[in-house]
Amino acid sequence: MTVGPVAHGGHCVARHEGRVVFVRHTLPGERVVVEVTENRQKGFCRGDAVEVLEPAPDRVERPCPYSGPGRCGGCDWQHVSHAGQLGLKADVVREQLSRLAGLDVDVTVEALPGGPLRWRSRARFAVDRTGSPGLRRHRSHDVVPLDDCPITAEPAAQAVLARRWLDAGAVDVALDSAGVVTTTTLDRRGRPLETQVLRPGAEVPEEPAGRAQRTAGGRDWEVEGTGFWQVHPAAADALVGAVLGFAAVQPGETVLDLYAGAGLFGGALAPGVGAAGRVVCVESDAAACAAADANLADLPQAEVWQGDVDAAGLTELLGDLGRPDVVVLDPPRAGAGQDVSRVLAGAGARAVVYVACDPASLARDVAAFGQAGYRLADLRAFDCFPMTAHVECVALLVRA
């Protein structure tokens, strides 16, 4: 078949005898032989391009030997030039905003320094029943054992892939800015078993003695060893820059930082509001809140509140806090949701800065804000996850 446009999720859309086929390992405009991998009764099926008859100009040789049809599912665009990947991601963000929010937005995805390989500083590897680590096939529980993962920083990859992990179901690994590798083994139910650190030059891992170190926005940060932090080493700085630019906080203003994690955005914004301002960081995870308390200890205008970000809790918080001047939110992949978006729109902030790792969730929430009186004023998109279909966006919403 001849392949149609790119779609959200790392595949392209084609049609065969009236049926929609979601095809991986291909590019728009290519003519390919497709092997059906999943046949749905609701008018569509999924497939892999197993032979390329007419390649697109952006097709390249895959740099990872484990990538391809039926193999490791960790990457989506190994067969695409980096420039081509940026274009595909821009098309996806543009299409989602058009289809889900009714907006016509010009989108450019910005590359981060360092190229498309060896950028991943934090990863989770699956472990099969023999103790061999690897990654799962696409839409499968089968583990593909790996000797290396070319998108993962080499010290982190080798700390996991160079040994066996008997009785483990997965291994989380993170490389901090000091070169310390932290591994956490998980059982087959996802429960943590043991955490160890391997310091640069050491041959034997040891028990962790503190939090991992990160650097971003001109400050040093502490996070739990394998806890949440931007995966690409340049992503935190890029996102902080975009958030600071869109928020444009002024001395004396009040900022509400939701899904605050270890306090990255709140800590970056606090100097701008000054001693007369206030930054309230809200985070549900206790370990992240403890890290945020430590990270923001030198900023008396910043405070950390532990709690879920939901409509009821936000309504109560806003009743105590009053109207914020700026809201920053960095929700999980599912997005903030309509209820939270409407409560935030009702708070009347002059600016809402939305950091999103999923363009569909962003588009749905932008639509909810639009119905409540806000418009999308600006958007930046970053290639924080090269070789994959994921893209990070920062959106500025202002009152219409």
Side-chain angles (χ1 to χ4, degrees), residues 284-305:
S284 62
D285 183 76
C289 285
D293 277 327
N295 290 326
L296 307 180
D298 64 324
L299 298 167
Q301 67 270 49
E303 53 198 277
V304 180
W305 295 16

Side-chain angles (χ1 to χ4, degrees), residues 172-223:
D172 285 345
V173 62
L175 175 69
D176 76 2
S177 57
V180 177
V181 177
T182 301
T183 57
T184 298
T185 55
L186 310 171
D187 67 16
R188 298 204 173 274
R189 295 185 178 181
R191 297 173 299 194
L193 296 173
E194 181 184 34
T195 296
Q196 292 185 322
V197 299
L198 183 65
R199 303 188 183 281
E203 296 183 359
V204 179
E206 60 189 63
E207 294 295 319
R211 298 188 179 98
Q213 302 300 308
R214 307 287 186 177
T215 302
R219 290 175 60 88
D220 293 327
W221 305 85
E222 295 182 354
V223 297

Side-chain angles (χ1 to χ4, degrees), residues 90-176:
D91 289 344
V92 167
V93 176
R94 189 181 306 111
E95 188 271 338
Q96 294 295 298
L97 287 168
S98 174
R99 184 169 60 86
L100 298 175
L103 299 175
D104 183 10
V105 180
D106 185 24
V107 179
T108 299
V109 176
E110 303 173 40
L112 298 185
L117 298 176
R118 298 300 182 193
W119 55 267
R120 183 177 283 279
S121 65
R122 182 169 55 85
R124 172 171 291 183
F125 291 96
V127 178
D128 68 15
R129 295 289 179 179
T130 71
S132 298
L135 291 170
R136 300 191 188 278
R137 301 183 198 278
H138 182 62
R139 295 177 64 83
S140 169
H141 294 294
D142 295 340
V143 177
V144 178
L146 304 177
D147 293 324
D148 190 16
C149 175
I151 67 169
T152 302
E154 193 167 3
Q158 290 308 305
V160 177
L161 300 177
R163 54 168 290 193
R164 289 200 168 193
W165 301 82
L166 297 176
D167 301 322
V171 182
D172 285 345
V173 62
L175 175 69
D176 76 2

Side-chain angles (χ1 to χ4, degrees), residues 34 39 42 46 117 128-129 212 227 229 265 268 275 307 325 373 380 384:
V34 175
N39 193 7
K42 295 183 178 179
R46 303 179 189 275
L117 298 176
D128 68 15
R129 295 289 179 179
W229 188 258
F265 297 128
D325 297 287
R380 292 182 70 183
C384 298

Side-chain angles (χ1 to χ4, degrees), residues 228 256-264 280-293 303-309 314 317 330-332:
F228 178 79
L256 181 58
D257 178 16
L258 302 176
Y259 314 93
L264 174 64
V280 176
C281 302
V282 182
E283 169 59 44
S284 62
D285 183 76
C289 285
D293 277 327
E303 53 198 277
V304 180
W305 295 16
Q306 184 179 354
D308 293 331
V309 180
L314 272 180
L317 185 153
D330 183 9

